[in-house]
Amino acid sequence: MEIKVEVGSPMQAPRDLVALGIFEEDGVPGALGQLVVSGDFKGKPEETLLLYPQAEGGPKRVLLIGLGKVDEVKPDALRRAGAIAVRRAQSLQTSAFSFSLPRYQALNAPALAQGLAEGIVLGDYRYLRFRTALSDEQKFEVTSATIHTSAENESAVREGVTTGQVVAAGVLTARELVNTPGADKTPPVFANDAVRVGAEHGFSVTVLDDTELEAQGFGGIMAVGKGSYGRPRFIIMEHGHAEEGKPTVCFVGKGITFDSGGLSLKPADAMETMKNDMGGGAAVIGAMQVVADLNLPIHVVGLVASAENMPSGRSFRPGDILTTLSGKTIEVLNTDAEGRIVLSDALFYAQRYNPAAVIELSTLTGAVIIALGTQTIGLMATDQSLADKVLAAGETSSERCWQLPLWQEYFDMIKSEYADMKNIGGRPAGSITAGAFLANFTNYPFVHLDIAGAAYADKPARVYNSAGGTGAGVRLLVQFLLDNYA
Ligand code: BES
Ligand code: ZN
Ligand code: ZN
């Protein structure tokens, strides 16, 4: 999809489809207003109305899209409008469409244009790889979108559109990885995907295979992967270099390519979507892609701990005690609480970079869905100033996070009789005891993001998401870097 920026109104040419974003205060502008019975279109968020103006030399179709109130407008309103426009272009089978606001000056900030471009690219995405019979609509490709603006806002809009396209491409990389079935992304394959993305976008990728992991003492990752034929991998991605006076930021992701629960086997309905259990790792890979494409002036390291959690005669067992890379021991009471085990090695590994900040993302607990639902990310932190920055980036990117406490009592809940800690703390505060477990392996400002709800949607609640992987976390991580280091 090509996104162009043009100065001037889209209404003076015979276009197939012009999408007009309408604010509630404004109503339907000019001559178009006469085509609508007063009050039928209010400009509420996501409201739409398709018009056929029949004016000489003008567009064939105009799609009104509500943006809500002008003084409340956020990038997400435009992200949603962009997705609605591109979806309608798909269903109408018009390969090109224009998008405009009647008040040009309102599309003034790079952030709004960025949201719009993101919405267009994200809304256009469908996962069709395994469909052999495509409908006409599914076959149809929208190839171009033109965003109209005023001369004075042109450079701001161009800047935002460029960023938005790059960010959305990173989100799509993450979605594509999540949507890939478990059989097609065992850890070695998943690691190769990271290598490919690195080669395409220009960041370095090193993969430690199971032999190296064993030799170096990655006891957590190796234990979780023991039951699977697809051997574990540790993926190390790097943009820029460590330099005196230049901070290093680490992103860490859970990369369980399929989570059956292992010997503590999940019930069938809980297992259905467990190919998404590498959603955190996918977000890290997608974010690295964006960081490299934007060539951000900072040293960023991405670490993904990847294993497949399967039951077999070789699997790790409840009751096993593992020695992790850190030397700390874990009593395994439930092999389905495997994410925190692989992450213990990755989080300890991150200590070697002496990072200014580490943000870790994982589809860690079902409990976070019970607590916060499917759109909100659970945030836990050892450093409040870092937490505040991530919370702020969540508001801006509309990947909203809600903080849960990491108080001493939660650390107490995972004390073990026989080892340094146990891997479950019972049902109460299930997301927090998981977060506390992770914090045991950090010695730097640390934020844990539980994306178990946000990473995947069978029936997406947001128009710019498609069924399946959402790419959750990519926009948030990039926003965090843009806010604090760009
Ligand atoms: N991958 C799951 C968490 C999950 C659940 C992600 C639903 C996405 C949707 C994780 O490994 C897991 O199984 N956690 C257990 C922990 C429990 C055994 C303490 C859970 O949440 O039930
Ligand atoms: Zn599990
Ligand atoms: Zn899991």
Side-chain angles (χ1 to χ4, degrees):
M1 158 97 53
E2 190 194 1
I3 305 186
K4 298 182 264 194
V5 177
E6 223 174 276
V7 170
S9 166
M11 301 299 282
Q12 267 55 343
R15 301 170 202 271
D16 284 333
L17 176 64
V18 171
L20 276 187
I22 308 281
F23 294 111
E24 276 178 48
E25 294 89 332
D26 293 354
V28 186
L32 289 172
Q34 287 155 21
L35 299 175
V36 182
V37 175
S38 160
D40 278 11
F41 184 85
K42 299 189 175 59
K44 297 274 181 211
E46 296 189 29
E47 187 183 0
T48 60
L49 185 65
L50 187 63
L51 301 175
Y52 302 93
Q54 289 168 349
E56 196 67 26
K60 253 200 263 180
R61 308 180 187 87
V62 172
L63 177 65
L64 307 180
I65 307 177
L67 296 174
K69 297 206 169 65
V70 69
D71 45 340
E72 288 170 15
V73 69
K74 287 210 220 146
D76 207 53
L78 285 140
R79 195 176 287 116
R80 289 188 267 166
I84 289 169
V86 72
R87 294 265 169 93
R88 191 59 71 97
Q90 271 171 6
S91 66
L92 293 169
Q93 308 203 14
T94 60
S95 57
F97 70 95
S98 289
F99 188 103
S100 181
L101 304 180
R103 331 185 182 190
Y104 288 170
Q105 67 278 14
L107 187 62
N108 53 4
L112 295 178
Q114 181 187 334
L116 178 59
E118 286 174 8
I120 292 171
V121 176
L122 297 177
D124 188 40
Y125 174 78
R126 296 161 292 180
Y127 187 66
L128 299 174
R129 182 170 153 198
F130 290 95
R131 297 252 192 182
T132 61
L134 296 180
S135 67
D136 288 347
E137 191 179 326
Q138 284 170 332
K139 268 185 231 151
F140 191 80
E141 262 188 58
V142 181
T143 50
S144 133
T146 305
I147 296 174
H148 292 256
T149 182
S150 62
E152 62 197 316
N153 293 333
E154 185 187 357
S155 68
V157 169
R158 279 191 193 282
E159 183 194 327
V161 166
T162 304
T163 309
Q165 281 181 285
V166 167
V167 171
V171 177
L172 295 194
T173 291
R175 284 190 191 175
E176 194 72 14
L177 289 168
V178 171
N179 288 335
T180 301
D184 299 305
K185 61 172 177 203
T186 55
V189 178
F190 183 47
N192 280 342
D193 287 332
V195 171
R196 173 180 49 77
V197 176
E200 284 170 8
H201 295 272
F203 57 88
S204 80
V205 184
T206 308
V207 176
L208 303 186
D209 68 14
D210 47 313
T211 317
E212 288 158 301
L213 293 177
E214 185 74 54
Q216 292 186 36
F218 286 73
I221 300 177
M222 287 306 291
V224 170
K226 264 168 85 181
S228 169
Y229 285 102
R231 309 302 297 139
R233 294 289 185 268
F234 188 62
I235 309 167
I236 304 159
M237 296 167 278
E238 200 161 357
H239 164 82
H241 300 282
E243 266 173 58
E244 194 67 29
K246 200 172 167 185
T248 296
V249 171
C250 285
F251 297 147
V252 177
K254 171 176 173 182
I256 299 296
T257 59
F258 182 73
D259 182 12
S260 71
L263 289 176
S264 312
L265 196 65
K266 285 182 184 294
D269 56 347
M271 211 190 289
E272 270 178 20
T273 56
M274 279 303 129
K275 67 173 185 183
N276 78 26
D277 214 16
M278 32 58 74
V284 172
I285 296 169
M288 291 303 298
Q289 168 179 325
V290 180
V291 167
D293 282 349
L294 296 177
N295 198 14
L296 296 184
I298 177 178
H299 182 218
V300 184
V301 174
L303 303 173
V304 178
S306 185
E308 186 179 38
N309 190 20
M310 290 295 233
S312 88
R314 291 186 212 247
S315 294
F316 75 135
R317 308 157 189 78
D320 283 358
I321 295 179
L322 315 173
T323 302
T324 60
L325 186 65
S326 64
K328 290 186 177 162
T329 57
I330 299 171
E331 181 190 10
V332 179
L333 290 175
N334 188 320
T335 63
D336 196 14
E338 84 300 334
R340 62 198 77 180
I341 299 176
V342 300
L343 288 166
S344 73
D345 285 346
L347 291 170
F348 179 76
Y349 191 89
Q351 292 188 14
R352 73 181 56 199
Y353 297 100
N354 193 21
V358 176
I359 303 175
E360 168 274 328
L361 305 92
S362 46
T363 47
L364 202 63
T365 65
V368 85
I369 305 175
I370 305 300
L372 299 174
T374 55
Q375 296 195 58
T376 304
I377 296 171
L379 181 151
M380 283 143 265
T382 63
D383 181 286
Q384 194 55 41
S385 107
L386 179 60
D388 289 339
K389 288 173 182 159
V390 177
L391 288 163
E395 294 301 320
T396 311
S397 63
S398 286
E399 296 207 288
R400 299 174 79 192
C401 309
W402 191 257
Q403 189 170 4
L404 303 170
L406 279 188
W407 294 322
Q408 182 57 41
E409 62 208 74
Y410 302 110
F411 290 83
D412 294 343
M413 288 164 75
I414 50 171
K415 283 196 171 136
S416 160
E417 290 289 331
Y418 313 107
D420 297 337
M421 67 200 88
K422 56 185 180 184
N423 80 327
I424 52 172
R427 282 171 63 84
S431 299
I432 307 180
T433 52
F437 182 100
L438 298 177
N440 280 318
F441 299 91
T442 67
N443 70 348
Y444 38 66
F446 172 58
V447 162
H448 158 57
L449 300 173
D450 194 334
I451 60 168
Y456 197 85
D458 278 324
K459 296 211 163 43
R462 300 186 186 193
V463 279
Y464 48 79
N465 286 342
S466 46
T470 59
V474 175
R475 288 191 278 121
L476 174 65
L477 292 180
V478 172
Q479 192 64 49
F480 166 80
L481 290 179
L482 291 174
D483 288 350
N484 296 289
Y485 301 99

